[in-house]
Amino acid sequence: MTTESVAPKTQSTNGSAAEPADIPATVARLRRTFATGRTRDIEWRKRQLLQLAKLMEENEDAIAKALAEDLDRNAAEAFIADIATTAAEAKYAAKRVRRWARRKYLLLEMPQLPGRGWIEYEPYGTVLIIGAWNYPFYLTLGPAVGAIAAGNAVVLKPSEIAAASSRLMAELVPRYLDRDAIALIEGDGMVSQELIAQGLDRVMFTGGTEIGRKVYEGAAPHLTPVTLELGGKSPVIVAADADIDVAAKRIAWIKIMNAGQTCV
């Protein structure tokens, strides 16, 4: 499969395509926002997460159309695989983020008394999320749920292979989310490398092992921690007491879902 290289783009305030992104300036803007403490606020996190769920639910038809253009998905599969999953994760996190962020006190050993100890959960800072083409929304905005819930500023870089989905996300993200703390930049692998070269506080990448190695290599000089979710085989075991008809139907369904482009 060949892909067309595109220049990095951001969105203008009216939602139309803007000039190619100034990546250092975009990252600097997000870092300034993080430095103010805005993204640490629990209520801000909840609002952004609920807005993310709203983005998915209010634009279900447009998202399904983009997925049909990119992947020839039908509407039911688009809802199950990208829309419902992303919205549900965002709502789940919004409901629990205050509890997750709460300080957890520890019982210290005798020599450390009368001191007090606790675990304090801190955001990394400004993080980069590089999405994948086979689930364009879920594998770009899904990781953003965790990043936002943890109080980070976020740069989203969707896969250029799913071009219609990337364009739609570039239109919707600044419309629904805090554009001073969450930015989306379109482009190819060179754009990803330029983003990684900014020395961000964490990188999250979903894709294949070959590109995963390049992401790690690009992050290493900056000592940027990396989370990789890399493709692989999805084995299935059918037990001796299984209902063969039911097992066969379930295996066939997941095997053909999304044209087989699924790894668990």
Side-chain angles (χ1 to χ4, degrees):
M1 179 181 293
T2 60
T3 61
E4 181 181 357
S5 176
V6 295
K9 295 185 293 183
T10 54
Q11 295 300 115
S12 65
T13 54
N14 64 7
S16 60
E19 292 300 314
D22 183 339
I23 288 175
T26 300
V27 172
R29 186 179 83 247
L30 299 187
R31 282 175 166 153
R32 285 194 300 270
T33 301
F34 179 77
T36 67
R38 184 194 303 182
T39 64
R40 293 173 178 266
D41 179 68
I42 299 299
E43 290 304 316
W44 181 91
R45 303 186 206 187
K46 287 179 66 174
R47 284 195 303 272
Q48 298 307 306
L49 291 165
L50 292 175
Q51 280 293 106
L52 181 51
K54 192 175 177 182
L55 180 158
M56 299 302 298
E57 292 173 341
E58 290 186 348
N59 298 280
E60 182 178 332
D61 290 343
I63 292 169
K65 183 178 178 181
L67 290 169
E69 184 176 338
D70 286 332
L71 301 167
D72 201 22
R73 288 250 197 98
N74 61 57
E77 209 171 86
F79 179 79
I80 293 169
D82 273 85
I83 298 167
T85 46
T86 306
E89 285 196 17
K91 290 179 180 178
Y92 183 92
K95 188 175 181 179
R96 291 162 176 79
V97 63
R98 186 175 298 278
R99 188 188 320 161
W100 292 343
R102 192 174 297 150
R103 180 184 290 181
K104 290 182 172 54
Y105 287 92
L106 305 173
L107 181 64
L108 298 181
E109 296 177 359
M110 188 67 71
Q112 297 171 321
L113 298 177
R116 292 195 304 162
W118 61 85
I119 297 173
E120 189 85 28
Y121 295 99
E122 289 285 325
Y124 276 94
T126 302
V127 305
L128 169 63
I129 296 170
I130 304 173
W133 63 268
N134 58 330
Y135 290 87
F137 288 86
Y138 181 57
L139 294 180
T140 303
L141 300 179
V145 169
I148 293 168
N152 297 287
V154 182
V155 183
L156 300 167
K157 212 298 286 183
S159 171
E160 73 279 9
I161 298 175
S165 297
S166 179
R167 286 194 303 271
L168 183 58
M169 276 187 275
E171 177 188 335
L172 296 177
V173 165
R175 190 191 302 173
Y176 283 83
L177 303 178
D178 184 344
R179 65 183 65 198
D180 288 325
I182 302 164
L184 186 145
I185 296 177
E186 295 184 83
D188 59 10
M190 295 299 292
V191 172
S192 296
Q193 288 297 330
E194 186 177 351
L195 284 164
I196 293 168
Q198 303 306 306
L200 294 158
D201 300 297
R202 190 169 195 90
V203 175
M204 289 179 271
F205 169 78
T206 304
T209 53
E210 182 180 349
I211 304 300
R213 289 189 185 96
K214 293 180 180 178
V215 169
Y216 234 134
E217 289 168 1
H222 309 282
L223 299 180
T224 302
V226 179
T227 299
L228 300 176
E229 199 237 325
L230 305 180
K233 301 297 183 182
S234 298
V236 59
I237 298 171
V238 180
D241 60 349
D243 183 320
I244 297 300
D245 289 340
V246 172
K249 288 177 181 178
R250 290 175 177 171
I251 293 167
W253 179 77
I254 197 63
K255 182 69 175 175
I256 64 175
M257 180 179 175
N258 203 37
Q261 292 298 324
T262 304
C263 59
V264 179

